[in-house]
mmCIF file of all heavy atoms in Angstrom:
data_model
loop_
_atom_site.group_PDB
_atom_site.id
_atom_site.type_symbol
_atom_site.label_atom_id
_atom_site.label_comp_id
_atom_site.label_asym_id
_atom_site.label_seq_id
_atom_site.Cartn_x
_atom_site.Cartn_y
_atom_site.Cartn_z
ATOM 1 N N GLU A 1 1.642 9.549 -15.133
ATOM 2 C CA GLU A 1 0.796 10.541 -15.823
ATOM 3 C C GLU A 1 0.489 11.753 -14.958
ATOM 4 O O GLU A 1 0.617 12.882 -15.356
ATOM 5 C CB GLU A 1 -0.518 9.915 -16.291
ATOM 6 C CG GLU A 1 -0.428 8.891 -17.385
ATOM 7 C CD GLU A 1 0.186 7.573 -16.909
ATOM 8 O OE1 GLU A 1 -0.207 7.122 -15.818
ATOM 9 O OE2 GLU A 1 1.022 7.013 -17.612
ATOM 10 N N ASP A 2 0.067 11.472 -13.696
ATOM 11 C CA ASP A 2 -0.404 12.575 -12.821
ATOM 12 C C ASP A 2 0.667 13.081 -11.884
ATOM 13 O O ASP A 2 0.439 14.048 -11.147
ATOM 14 C CB ASP A 2 -1.615 12.062 -11.978
ATOM 15 C CG ASP A 2 -2.658 11.425 -12.829
ATOM 16 O OD1 ASP A 2 -2.995 12.006 -13.906
ATOM 17 O OD2 ASP A 2 -3.183 10.348 -12.464
ATOM 18 N N GLY A 3 1.859 12.410 -11.843
ATOM 19 C CA GLY A 3 2.841 12.797 -10.854
ATOM 20 C C GLY A 3 2.319 12.478 -9.444
ATOM 21 O O GLY A 3 1.636 11.483 -9.261
ATOM 22 N N MET A 4 2.658 13.353 -8.475
ATOM 23 C CA MET A 4 2.208 13.125 -7.109
ATOM 24 C C MET A 4 0.875 13.850 -6.937
ATOM 25 O O MET A 4 0.738 14.989 -7.316
ATOM 26 C CB MET A 4 3.244 13.771 -6.171
ATOM 27 C CG MET A 4 3.097 13.356 -4.752
ATOM 28 S SD MET A 4 4.065 11.892 -4.430
ATOM 29 C CE MET A 4 4.942 12.365 -3.000
ATOM 30 N N PHE A 5 -0.116 13.134 -6.380
ATOM 31 C CA PHE A 5 -1.440 13.816 -6.187
ATOM 32 C C PHE A 5 -2.085 13.356 -4.906
ATOM 33 O O PHE A 5 -1.693 12.303 -4.337
ATOM 34 C CB PHE A 5 -2.346 13.539 -7.386
ATOM 35 C CG PHE A 5 -2.597 12.074 -7.670
ATOM 36 C CD1 PHE A 5 -3.735 11.436 -7.164
ATOM 37 C CD2 PHE A 5 -1.717 11.335 -8.434
ATOM 38 C CE1 PHE A 5 -3.969 10.099 -7.401
ATOM 39 C CE2 PHE A 5 -1.951 9.985 -8.674
ATOM 40 C CZ PHE A 5 -3.048 9.353 -8.161
ATOM 41 N N GLN A 6 -3.062 14.155 -4.442
ATOM 42 C CA GLN A 6 -3.737 13.829 -3.200
ATOM 43 C C GLN A 6 -5.250 13.685 -3.438
ATOM 44 O O GLN A 6 -5.789 14.362 -4.297
ATOM 45 C CB GLN A 6 -3.480 14.883 -2.137
ATOM 46 C CG GLN A 6 -2.038 14.832 -1.573
ATOM 47 C CD GLN A 6 -1.914 15.707 -0.355
ATOM 48 O OE1 GLN A 6 -2.356 16.842 -0.339
ATOM 49 N NE2 GLN A 6 -1.271 15.178 0.675
ATOM 50 N N ILE A 7 -5.872 12.793 -2.671
ATOM 51 C CA ILE A 7 -7.287 12.555 -2.795
ATOM 52 C C ILE A 7 -7.875 12.613 -1.388
ATOM 53 O O ILE A 7 -7.362 11.971 -0.458
ATOM 54 C CB ILE A 7 -7.599 11.180 -3.396
ATOM 55 C CG1 ILE A 7 -7.052 11.110 -4.837
ATOM 56 C CG2 ILE A 7 -9.080 10.883 -3.386
ATOM 57 C CD1 ILE A 7 -7.001 9.718 -5.378
ATOM 58 N N GLN A 8 -8.981 13.339 -1.226
ATOM 59 C CA GLN A 8 -9.724 13.342 0.064
ATOM 60 C C GLN A 8 -10.834 12.318 -0.080
ATOM 61 O O GLN A 8 -11.681 12.436 -0.983
ATOM 62 C CB GLN A 8 -10.262 14.724 0.365
ATOM 63 C CG GLN A 8 -11.174 14.766 1.599
ATOM 64 C CD GLN A 8 -10.382 14.508 2.889
ATOM 65 O OE1 GLN A 8 -9.481 15.248 3.248
ATOM 66 N NE2 GLN A 8 -10.733 13.450 3.608
ATOM 67 N N ALA A 9 -10.846 11.312 0.810
ATOM 68 C CA ALA A 9 -11.895 10.288 0.744
ATOM 69 C C ALA A 9 -12.769 10.374 1.976
ATOM 70 O O ALA A 9 -12.333 10.844 3.039
ATOM 71 C CB ALA A 9 -11.220 8.902 0.677
ATOM 72 N N LYS A 10 -14.007 9.931 1.846
ATOM 73 C CA LYS A 10 -14.894 9.840 3.009
ATOM 74 C C LYS A 10 -14.614 8.523 3.759
ATOM 75 O O LYS A 10 -14.820 8.441 4.969
ATOM 76 C CB LYS A 10 -16.353 9.922 2.577
ATOM 77 C CG LYS A 10 -16.736 11.292 2.050
ATOM 78 C CD LYS A 10 -18.221 11.331 1.704
ATOM 79 C CE LYS A 10 -18.578 12.675 1.075
ATOM 80 N NZ LYS A 10 -19.932 12.640 0.500
ATOM 81 N N ALA A 11 -14.223 7.487 2.987
ATOM 82 C CA ALA A 11 -13.864 6.214 3.628
ATOM 83 C C ALA A 11 -12.763 5.580 2.772
ATOM 84 O O ALA A 11 -12.640 5.850 1.577
ATOM 85 C CB ALA A 11 -15.067 5.279 3.691
ATOM 86 N N VAL A 12 -11.927 4.755 3.427
ATOM 87 C CA VAL A 12 -10.822 4.074 2.753
ATOM 88 C C VAL A 12 -10.933 2.562 3.065
ATOM 89 O O VAL A 12 -11.180 2.207 4.222
ATOM 90 C CB VAL A 12 -9.435 4.601 3.227
ATOM 91 C CG1 VAL A 12 -8.312 3.804 2.611
ATOM 92 C CG2 VAL A 12 -9.308 6.100 2.873
ATOM 93 N N ILE A 13 -10.721 1.707 2.029
ATOM 94 C CA ILE A 13 -10.614 0.312 2.323
ATOM 95 C C ILE A 13 -9.190 -0.130 1.988
ATOM 96 O O ILE A 13 -8.703 0.102 0.903
ATOM 97 C CB ILE A 13 -11.615 -0.531 1.486
ATOM 98 C CG1 ILE A 13 -13.034 -0.161 1.870
ATOM 99 C CG2 ILE A 13 -11.380 -2.034 1.667
ATOM 100 C CD1 ILE A 13 -14.137 -0.939 1.109
ATOM 101 N N LEU A 14 -8.535 -0.744 2.991
ATOM 102 C CA LEU A 14 -7.181 -1.221 2.816
ATOM 103 C C LEU A 14 -7.252 -2.649 2.269
ATOM 104 O O LEU A 14 -7.839 -3.530 2.931
ATOM 105 C CB LEU A 14 -6.417 -1.213 4.165
ATOM 106 C CG LEU A 14 -6.419 0.126 4.904
ATOM 107 C CD1 LEU A 14 -5.852 -0.073 6.314
ATOM 108 C CD2 LEU A 14 -5.610 1.145 4.167
ATOM 109 N N ALA A 15 -6.692 -2.894 1.079
ATOM 110 C CA ALA A 15 -6.723 -4.223 0.493
ATOM 111 C C ALA A 15 -5.413 -4.475 -0.201
ATOM 112 O O ALA A 15 -5.350 -4.877 -1.360
ATOM 113 C CB ALA A 15 -7.892 -4.328 -0.480
ATOM 114 N N MET A 16 -4.288 -4.275 0.546
ATOM 115 C CA MET A 16 -2.965 -4.332 -0.073
ATOM 116 C C MET A 16 -2.434 -5.742 -0.165
ATOM 117 O O MET A 16 -1.407 -5.990 -0.791
ATOM 118 C CB MET A 16 -1.949 -3.504 0.748
ATOM 119 C CG MET A 16 -2.171 -2.008 0.636
ATOM 120 S SD MET A 16 -3.318 -1.334 1.848
ATOM 121 C CE MET A 16 -2.397 -1.388 3.359
ATOM 122 N N GLY A 17 -3.127 -6.722 0.489
ATOM 123 C CA GLY A 17 -2.617 -8.087 0.412
ATOM 124 C C GLY A 17 -1.402 -8.335 1.304
ATOM 125 O O GLY A 17 -1.184 -7.602 2.276
ATOM 126 N N CYS A 18 -0.620 -9.335 0.959
ATOM 127 C CA CYS A 18 0.542 -9.662 1.828
ATOM 128 C C CYS A 18 1.755 -9.876 0.928
ATOM 129 O O CYS A 18 1.666 -9.967 -0.281
ATOM 130 C CB CYS A 18 0.250 -10.935 2.625
ATOM 131 S SG CYS A 18 -0.149 -12.332 1.630
ATOM 132 N N ARG A 19 2.922 -9.971 1.591
ATOM 133 C CA ARG A 19 4.149 -10.251 0.849
ATOM 134 C C ARG A 19 4.877 -11.426 1.509
ATOM 135 O O ARG A 19 4.500 -11.811 2.617
ATOM 136 C CB ARG A 19 5.060 -9.027 0.811
ATOM 137 C CG ARG A 19 5.427 -8.528 2.169
ATOM 138 C CD ARG A 19 6.132 -7.174 2.063
ATOM 139 N NE ARG A 19 6.116 -6.475 3.356
ATOM 140 C CZ ARG A 19 6.984 -6.670 4.329
ATOM 141 N NH1 ARG A 19 7.970 -7.531 4.198
ATOM 142 N NH2 ARG A 19 6.869 -5.974 5.449
ATOM 143 N N GLU A 20 5.856 -11.917 0.818
ATOM 144 C CA GLU A 20 6.553 -13.091 1.343
ATOM 145 C C GLU A 20 7.548 -12.661 2.397
ATOM 146 O O GLU A 20 8.175 -11.620 2.331
ATOM 147 C CB GLU A 20 7.305 -13.822 0.229
ATOM 148 C CG GLU A 20 6.332 -14.576 -0.685
ATOM 149 C CD GLU A 20 7.063 -15.341 -1.734
ATOM 150 O OE1 GLU A 20 7.490 -14.704 -2.691
ATOM 151 O OE2 GLU A 20 7.197 -16.551 -1.591
ATOM 152 N N ARG A 21 7.668 -13.521 3.401
ATOM 153 C CA ARG A 21 8.700 -13.305 4.452
ATOM 154 C C ARG A 21 10.034 -13.726 3.848
ATOM 155 O O ARG A 21 10.222 -14.839 3.466
ATOM 156 C CB ARG A 21 8.351 -14.174 5.628
ATOM 157 C CG ARG A 21 9.200 -13.943 6.852
ATOM 158 C CD ARG A 21 8.997 -15.101 7.837
ATOM 159 N NE ARG A 21 7.592 -15.242 8.229
ATOM 160 C CZ ARG A 21 7.153 -14.909 9.442
ATOM 161 N NH1 ARG A 21 7.982 -14.491 10.358
ATOM 162 N NH2 ARG A 21 5.898 -15.070 9.760
ATOM 163 N N SER A 22 10.947 -12.769 3.783
ATOM 164 C CA SER A 22 12.229 -13.074 3.136
ATOM 165 C C SER A 22 13.251 -13.569 4.183
ATOM 166 O O SER A 22 14.341 -13.918 3.843
ATOM 167 C CB SER A 22 12.770 -11.871 2.435
ATOM 168 O OG SER A 22 12.824 -10.777 3.379
ATOM 169 N N ARG A 23 12.826 -13.559 5.446
ATOM 170 C CA ARG A 23 13.732 -13.887 6.560
ATOM 171 C C ARG A 23 14.367 -15.256 6.414
ATOM 172 O O ARG A 23 15.446 -15.504 6.967
ATOM 173 C CB ARG A 23 12.954 -13.898 7.857
ATOM 174 C CG ARG A 23 12.979 -12.631 8.598
ATOM 175 C CD ARG A 23 12.917 -12.802 10.074
ATOM 176 N NE ARG A 23 12.479 -14.009 10.635
ATOM 177 C CZ ARG A 23 11.419 -14.087 11.461
ATOM 178 N NH1 ARG A 23 10.751 -13.011 11.749
ATOM 179 N NH2 ARG A 23 11.085 -15.244 12.026
ATOM 180 N N GLY A 24 13.709 -16.193 5.748
ATOM 181 C CA GLY A 24 14.142 -17.570 5.733
ATOM 182 C C GLY A 24 15.607 -17.749 5.397
ATOM 183 O O GLY A 24 16.270 -18.633 5.927
ATOM 184 N N ALA A 25 16.106 -16.881 4.514
ATOM 185 C CA ALA A 25 17.474 -17.053 4.045
ATOM 186 C C ALA A 25 18.498 -16.463 5.020
ATOM 187 O O ALA A 25 19.682 -16.752 4.943
ATOM 188 C CB ALA A 25 17.638 -16.431 2.678
ATOM 189 N N LEU A 26 18.010 -15.626 5.883
ATOM 190 C CA LEU A 26 18.978 -14.766 6.613
ATOM 191 C C LEU A 26 19.781 -15.482 7.665
ATOM 192 O O LEU A 26 20.874 -15.094 8.023
ATOM 193 C CB LEU A 26 18.242 -13.578 7.271
ATOM 194 C CG LEU A 26 17.529 -12.658 6.258
ATOM 195 C CD1 LEU A 26 16.903 -11.482 6.956
ATOM 196 C CD2 LEU A 26 18.512 -12.149 5.189
#
């Protein structure tokens, strides 16, 4: 909807979680 946009924040909380390690198969 908005395309690329920027936001100025006074504070940021990082809550991106985790992903699986795909290395097992390699």
Side-chain angles (χ1 to χ4, degrees):
E1 291 74 41
D2 309 315
M4 193 91 129
F5 57 96
Q6 287 192 314
I7 296 165
Q8 174 67 60
K10 291 182 184 169
V12 175
I13 296 181
L14 306 170
M16 289 89 73
C18 57
R19 58 189 160 85
E20 287 183 282
R21 187 194 300 253
S22 54
R23 265 213 340 238
L26 298 183

